Amino acid sequence: MIYADNAATTRISDLAFENMLPFLRDQYGNASSQYSLGTKAKRAIVRSRRQVAVAIGAEPSEITFTSGGSEANSWVFRSIAEAYCSEAVHIITSSIEHHSVLNACHALEQCGVEVTYLPVDSNGCISVNDVKSAIKPTTKLVSIMFANNEVGTIQPIEEIGKLLNERGILFHTDAVQAAGHIPIDVHDLQIDFLSASAHKFNGAKGTGILYKRSGLKLPPLVFGGEQEQGLRAGTENVAGIVALGCALEESVADITEMREKLSDLVKITIKRLKEVIPEICINGEGAMRLPGIVNITVPYVSGEAVMHLLDMKGICVSTSSACNSGKDTPSHVLLALGLTEQQAKSSIRISYGRYNTAEEAEKIVAAVSSAYSKIVANR
Ligand SMILES: *Cc1c(COP(=O)(O)O)cnc(C)c1O
């Protein structure tokens, strides 16, 4: 099998796996218990929180563990609505966010919150000037993803952070695709809230983080005990938290090496695909992108058909984000880049990760090329 859908999820790293294993069976203590089985679990959580803090330039007290990226994103939006329930609230976001952000915004709109969805250019890039022009006296939050999950475009986070900090507007970024893949320093970038998810950087599924700048308040997401500073009660997912800390530390340590490796894989893939299918378009080609993502449009050939033909050869790629697949709707991200419905439905995403090789990239190119010929010949 060749797995090239790392933007959907990743295989857990060996190090993260080995470190989490003891906490699934032998070290099963409740981190709130006072005897040593419990305090060992507690210490493991403390260690992981420190690893996360170091990885993103934060303080441990600024990190809360969640069940993943969607939960972290949802929490921020619910909180803003709750915190300003007696005032007019305006939120700025982009049209290419993950559905956990977009659907949170849609829900808030039902409650009277005003939301501006910024457009993107043909590469999927947001303009800082558009952010500036969209600001109103009632703007309480701007939420712009660090990097897009379908085309990989990296947004001008530093400039947006600077602009918002000067105006005293809260800044949230969904960094689920960026964390562990490109360097992040929340203080340098002047980020107030940041979401990340372990299974996108070779941790385990079902664990994520919300970074919240110290001094900022959030209402509790889950009521109960004192876990997570009373913000998200409930017995901690110790094994998942341990894997998250290990995986993030490992990813950040390897960031430069991995970036080079993945960029090389992407470069070979694009070069070879252009040779075998000259009509191919690379979406977001002109933008600064995540190192491992290639999103291609093969004109007039169904992306879904290509995906299934690749699947028959044991190759995993996706038509758009995992959240869209299964529905017959074209990707909202590709439409926002200006693709037609037909073009958006003729697209596939190849996303490389830690375990991919150049040989696999060659096999993917050959498989895409043969799928393309087959589909075109059958017309
Ligand atoms: C995967 C993803 C999410 C959701 O994270 P989960 O941990 O799966 O809930 C949110 N935002 C982006 C950009 C993603 O790629």
Side-chain angles (χ1 to χ4, degrees):
M1 187 191 76
I2 296 177
Y3 185 77
D5 199 14
N6 289 274
T9 194
T10 58
R11 198 200 100 184
I12 191 167
S13 82
D14 297 336
L15 185 74
F17 183 65
E18 278 158 24
N19 276 277
M20 87 185 284
L21 262 186
F23 293 95
L24 288 171
R25 198 178 60 186
D26 304 333
Q27 300 289 341
Y28 53 82
N30 184 318
S32 301
S33 300
Q34 305 295 312
Y35 41 78
S36 59
L37 194 65
T39 54
K40 272 186 189 148
K42 177 132 217 148
R43 271 207 300 278
I45 295 174
V46 169
R47 174 161 184 261
S48 174
R49 204 185 306 278
R50 204 180 313 119
Q51 288 171 312
V52 173
V54 169
I56 64 167
E59 293 298 323
S61 59
E62 297 174 314
I63 307 297
T64 308
F65 291 111
T66 66
S67 72
S70 301
E71 182 181 307
N73 286 342
S74 301
W75 189 3
V76 171
F77 285 90
R78 281 186 192 278
S79 303
I80 295 299
E82 213 174 306
Y84 297 102
C85 50
S86 55
E87 292 174 51
V89 177
H90 174 236
I91 292 176
I92 300 171
T93 188
S94 83
S95 48
I96 60 163
E97 298 293 316
H98 187 263
H99 278 118
S100 54
V101 166
L102 290 179
N103 289 344
C105 287
H106 297 155
L108 293 186
E109 282 180 300
Q110 298 298 309
C111 306
V113 170
E114 189 189 354
V115 183
T116 300
Y117 301 91
L118 296 177
V120 292
D121 67 14
S122 60
N123 284 310
C125 220
I126 286 142
S127 125
V128 181
N129 266 330
D130 284 354
V131 178
K132 199 188 258 175
S133 331
I135 294 173
K136 302 181 179 196
T138 50
T139 307
K140 300 287 194 271
L141 175 76
V142 173
S143 178
I144 302 291
M145 70 198 322
F146 210 112
N148 182 264
N149 48 313
E150 293 191 35
V151 288
T153 309
I154 300 171
Q155 303 301 341
I157 295 300
E158 185 166 9
E159 290 88 329
I160 299 172
K162 185 163 179 288
L163 168 76
L164 298 176
N165 191 41
E166 281 163 3
R167 318 223 165 178
I169 298 169
L170 294 172
F171 181 28
H172 167 252
T173 186
D174 170 352
V176 172
Q177 290 292 333
H181 300 280
I182 50 176
I184 297 178
D185 185 304
V186 287
H187 291 161
D188 285 356
L189 299 172
Q190 308 185 47
I191 294 165
D192 296 308
F193 301 106
L194 175 144
S195 312
S197 176
H199 76 100
K200 302 289 175 79
F201 52 77
N202 304 96
K205 290 169 188 61
T207 339
I209 60 138
L210 179 66
Y211 153 82
K212 170 177 72 65
R213 187 165 58 77
S214 74
L216 295 177
K217 283 211 162 69
L218 275 189
L221 179 69
V222 180
F223 296 107
E226 282 307 303
Q227 293 97 344
E228 299 301 307
Q229 304 179 61
L231 295 176
R232 186 180 182 274
T235 305
E236 299 89 341
N237 171 7
V238 184
I241 289 172
V242 167
L244 185 151
C246 277
L248 188 57
E249 186 178 77
E250 190 183 19
S251 298
V252 169
D254 296 347
I255 221 162
T256 312
E257 186 195 331
M258 209 47 76
R259 208 174 178 177
E260 279 169 19
K261 173 186 141 159
L262 298 181
S263 312
D264 285 348
L265 292 184
V266 164
K267 263 187 227 147
I268 316 173
T269 306
I270 292 178
K271 180 172 170 286
R272 295 275 299 111
L273 279 172
K274 283 180 172 172
E275 284 165 12
V276 293
I277 311 172
E279 320 58 12
I280 213 161
C281 292
I282 312 296
N283 296 311
E285 192 169 20
M288 286 264 292
R289 278 178 300 132
L290 287 170
I293 297 186
V294 203
N295 192 305
I296 58 174
T297 301
V298 187
Y300 307 109
V301 165
S302 151
E304 212 173 302
V306 175
M307 190 262 285
H308 286 300
L309 285 170
L310 263 59
D311 185 29
M312 282 159 60
K313 295 185 173 167
I315 299 174
C316 309
V317 298
S318 70
T319 44
S320 60
S321 73
C323 319
N324 279 350
S325 49
K327 297 181 222 158
D328 193 33
T329 45
S331 148
H332 68 287
V333 174
L334 297 179
L335 295 181
L337 262 66
L339 273 69
T340 62
E341 286 210 4
Q342 152 72 37
Q343 289 167 329
K345 286 184 176 180
S346 304
S347 303
I348 58 166
R349 177 187 69 189
I350 301 164
S351 50
Y352 294 118
R354 176 173 281 269
Y355 299 107
N356 290 113
T357 62
E359 197 189 341
E360 289 180 331
E362 286 290 350
K363 284 189 179 153
I364 290 171
V365 171
V368 171
S369 163
S370 108
Y372 175 68
S373 316
K374 202 170 200 164
I375 295 166
V376 172
N378 281 338
R379 261 214 288 266

